[in-house]
Amino acid sequence: MTAKFAIILAAGQGTRMKSKLYKVLHPVCGKAMVDHVLSQVEKDNVDQIVTIVGHGAEKVQETLGDRTKYALQEEQLGTGHAVLQAEKMLGSKDGMTLVTCGDTPLFMAETFAKLFEYHEKNGDVATVLTAKADDPFGYGRVIRNAVGEVEKIVEQKDATPEEAKVDEINTGVYVFDNQALFKALHQVNNDNAQGEYYLPDVIGIFQNAGKKVGAFEMDDFEESMGVNDRIALAKATKVMQRRINEKHMRNGVTIIDPDNTYIDAGVQIGADTVIEPGVQLKGKTIIGEDCVIGAHSQIRDCKIEDGVTVTASYLEESVMHKNSNIGPYSHLRPLADIGENVHIGNFVEVKKAEIGKNTKVGHLTYVGDATLGKNINVGCGTIFINYDGMNKHHTNVGDYSFIGSGANLVAPLEIEDHAYVAAGSTITNDVPAHAMGIGRGRQVNKEGYYDRYPVAEAAKKAEKADKD
Ligand code: UD1
Ligand code: CA
């Protein structure tokens, strides 16, 4: 079997992005473009992958880790010069080499595999992957001779008006005979509009030397989309989003409105879960089966077990165990652990807190730095006061306890099992099991005081109006 190698070009700055972030690191559906490229190349079982890094080399290496080898291109003198940086690692080897760019995130492993196959079958020195574009502006054009063979590739900026009319574009993906590639690269010059060493120039060099160059035209231009600016980034994101959503739907997930559902590449979802419109699922979120993720919820890096219902809520780095529910309008901040069958209602914020099974936190409550047992009822408007301005303190609430509405629980605090906190209390001391903690001022009624306030005047007017 012929050895297979791959080179990914990722050293450019990406000036047209106008960004502080290096181009190939811009995310498409939560994953860096160059990571998408590498993930697909990895599926093709190549013997060695070399990624060319330059601008932001460290960051690119941090993102891709040891899944690829790296060659450094210190100065970005063009795509041909970039490939040449892999010569030390690959130059002497027999085999065929796929070259692709870190800014074409939509290519699929199957397309690369087909290109390898086509190249090997034809025995050409190089095969360029081409596509027909409705709007070829910005891409290199594939110029064919009278008998339809690829003669050369010209860049947009170097094209004659005649050449610019050609709608067959260079996708930036090629398979080469490995040794011939590096030999030809030494003949590439930078005598062109951009003063760069162009990789596609090797095609013309091969032709001039009488070596046969092949072209493999793919029928889906969309897949070859190169991202040079934010407009293309948005277009590529749309395509990727559609692909991701279709994958989940094929796996048994109901997505009510796929055009308005935003799921990152790394998210997993179980069958029979329903995703309503406007939902964003980010990062490494895992969602089980039979869940309902209600409209406009945002979930990042969470684990959601089977049968959970999330209604218009915002969840980060948290866990929701089986059959629990939350919302509308609640917020799980990092390290919330919501037990089985727990009910979190509306306008509740939970941070770094564990809530035991069957417990209910229905309304307008803050739970921070706390451990709650099972079967507790937390009344409306309860505040776990965890911060003294300097340090965070912890509160424990035991099983079967009852926290009356409007309680302030001042941590550190221990409320034991079967304890009762009276509504409106400010609790600063521990409450033992089976006791009631009550901490509030006594009520006094002042007779006739109502009539001293302006409200009484307003009431009189309203009463009169009611009668008229
Ligand atoms: C390139 C092709 C063009 C093709 C298009 C497809 C060249 C000269 N042109 O144009 O024919 O239609 O891709 O998308 O190859 N890079 C380096 N080092 C460099 C320069 C670039 O590593 O010195 C990397 C970039 O990071 C990028 C890739 O190579 O990932 C392509 O470079 P880019 O400048 O985007 O080329 P295009 O103008 O898009
Ligand atoms: Ca490009």
Side-chain angles (χ1 to χ4, degrees):
M1 263 217 352
T2 321
K4 290 194 283 183
F5 312 106
I7 298 174
I8 300 172
L9 306 184
Q13 156 98 54
T15 20
R16 288 165 281 183
M17 294 296 280
K18 307 231 163 68
S19 178
K20 288 177 279 305
L21 186 65
Y22 307 106
K23 176 165 71 173
V24 298
L25 293 179
H26 274 264
V28 167
C29 297
K31 179 166 159 173
M33 290 203 276
V34 67
D35 195 351
H36 280 290
V37 175
L38 178 58
S39 302
Q40 296 300 319
V41 172
E42 278 173 329
K43 291 187 197 162
D44 287 307
N45 294 319
V46 300
D47 298 273
Q48 195 170 337
I49 306 173
V50 179
T51 300
I52 311 298
V53 292
H55 275 288
E58 271 173 31
K59 286 263 184 297
V60 174
Q61 285 176 249
E62 214 177 280
T63 303
L64 302 179
D66 57 9
R67 293 152 60 201
T68 161
K69 298 256 182 298
Y70 299 94
L72 182 68
Q73 184 192 22
E74 276 173 30
E75 262 186 298
Q76 283 64 51
L77 303 179
T79 49
H81 178 259
V83 174
L84 206 48
Q85 309 313 306
E87 189 175 32
K88 271 206 198 101
M89 283 174 172
L90 298 178
S92 62
K93 298 188 178 173
D94 268 337
M96 44 185 186
T97 301
L98 172 86
V99 178
T100 185
C101 301
D103 67 346
T104 47
L106 298 172
F107 277 113
M108 309 276 269
E110 299 83 71
T111 304
F112 295 148
K114 277 190 210 154
L115 186 65
F116 268 126
E117 220 174 276
Y118 182 90
H119 174 87
E120 203 173 12
K121 200 180 73 206
N122 284 283
D124 294 333
V125 69
T127 309
V128 51
L129 184 66
T130 76
K132 290 260 168 67
D134 289 341
D135 177 13
F137 186 85
Y139 290 91
R141 305 300 204 286
V142 177
I143 309 300
R144 292 177 182 259
N145 63 21
V147 289
E149 289 169 352
V150 178
E151 196 175 86
K152 59 175 178 176
I153 291 167
V154 287
E155 293 305 302
Q156 176 74 45
K157 288 183 179 150
D158 302 294
T160 63
E162 209 48 42
E163 288 168 336
K165 280 188 199 137
V166 172
D167 66 349
E168 188 180 9
I169 60 121
N170 168 25
T171 64
V173 180
Y174 328 72
V175 171
F176 297 100
D177 172 84
N178 186 62
Q179 295 199 17
L181 166 65
F182 289 103
K183 257 185 229 134
L185 280 172
H186 285 287
Q187 296 172 46
V188 171
N189 64 42
N190 63 354
D191 186 10
N192 53 50
Q194 303 184 79
E196 286 184 1
Y197 295 88
Y198 293 159
L199 171 62
D201 280 3
V202 298
I203 301 295
I205 290 168
F206 287 136
Q207 276 293 0
N208 292 338
K211 290 185 180 153
K212 209 167 143 266
V213 173
F216 181 77
E217 186 188 325
M218 55 193 293
D219 30 68
D220 182 12
F221 165 74
E222 205 173 64
E223 188 184 329
S224 76
M225 196 187 297
V227 175
N228 294 323
D229 59 23
R230 310 270 183 161
I231 295 163
L233 182 68
K235 282 187 186 153
T237 299
K238 268 273 172 246
V239 176
M240 186 67 77
Q241 181 197 308
R242 194 182 66 219
R243 264 191 212 166
I244 291 170
N245 291 352
E246 285 176 2
K247 174 190 80 181
H248 290 298
M249 290 189 278
R250 273 193 287 275
N251 289 343
V253 177
T254 293
I255 298 181
I256 308 278
D257 183 1
D259 287 339
N260 292 295
T261 302
Y262 309 89
I263 303 176
D264 275 359
V267 171
Q268 298 173 37
I269 312 174
D272 287 316
T273 282
V274 177
I275 313 284
E276 292 183 351
V279 166
Q280 297 189 43
L281 304 177
K282 298 184 182 185
K284 303 222 177 310
T285 293
I286 299 175
I287 295 178
E289 298 186 356
D290 303 307
C291 296
V292 178
I293 310 299
H296 302 292
S297 295
Q298 275 195 49
I299 305 180
R300 178 179 62 75
D301 296 320
C302 288
K303 183 163 190 291
I304 310 290
E305 293 185 355
D306 296 348
V308 167
T309 299
V310 177
T311 307
S313 289
Y314 191 97
L315 282 49
E316 317 165 78
E317 295 170 43
S318 292
V319 181
M320 290 191 70
H321 295 277
K322 272 194 209 158
N323 301 324
S324 56
N325 66 76
I326 185 168
Y329 316 119
S330 282
H331 186 181
L332 297 186
R333 287 169 53 204
L335 301 178
D337 186 299
I338 309 302
E340 233 177 278
N341 224 20
V342 163
H343 166 63
I344 306 283
N346 48 176
F347 303 106
V348 174
E349 176 179 332
V350 182
K351 186 219 76 170
K352 205 176 176 188
E354 201 180 313
I355 299 186
K357 68 176 179 189
N358 301 328
T359 286
K360 292 182 170 58
V361 187
H363 343 257
L364 301 159
T365 287
Y366 173 60
V367 184
D369 298 285
T371 306
L372 280 69
K374 60 183 179 184
N375 295 81
I376 296 166
N377 189 87
V378 178
C380 176
T382 297
I383 298 173
F384 284 67
I385 296 166
N386 58 335
Y387 187 47
D388 60 12
M390 184 85 111
N391 296 306
K392 299 279 161 66
H393 302 281
H394 198 88
T395 295
N396 289 317
V397 181
D399 300 345
Y400 305 100
S401 289
F402 183 92
I403 311 295
S405 292
N408 294 314
L409 306 177
V410 183
L413 197 62
E414 193 76 38
I415 295 172
E416 294 183 2
D417 293 351
H418 298 278
Y420 193 104
V421 168
S425 291
T426 294
I427 300 294
T428 49
N429 298 320
D430 295 349
V431 183
H434 296 278
M436 178 183 77
I438 179 164
R440 52 160 113 110
R442 282 196 175 270
Q443 179 174 332
V444 182
N445 289 339
K446 305 273 191 187
E447 293 300 330
Y449 266 47
Y450 178 90
D451 302 307
R452 294 185 179 189
Y453 292 100
V455 66
E457 274 310 305
K460 258 182 216 155
K461 277 189 197 144
E463 276 178 316
K464 191 168 172 291
D466 280 349
K467 274 182 209 143
D468 295 344

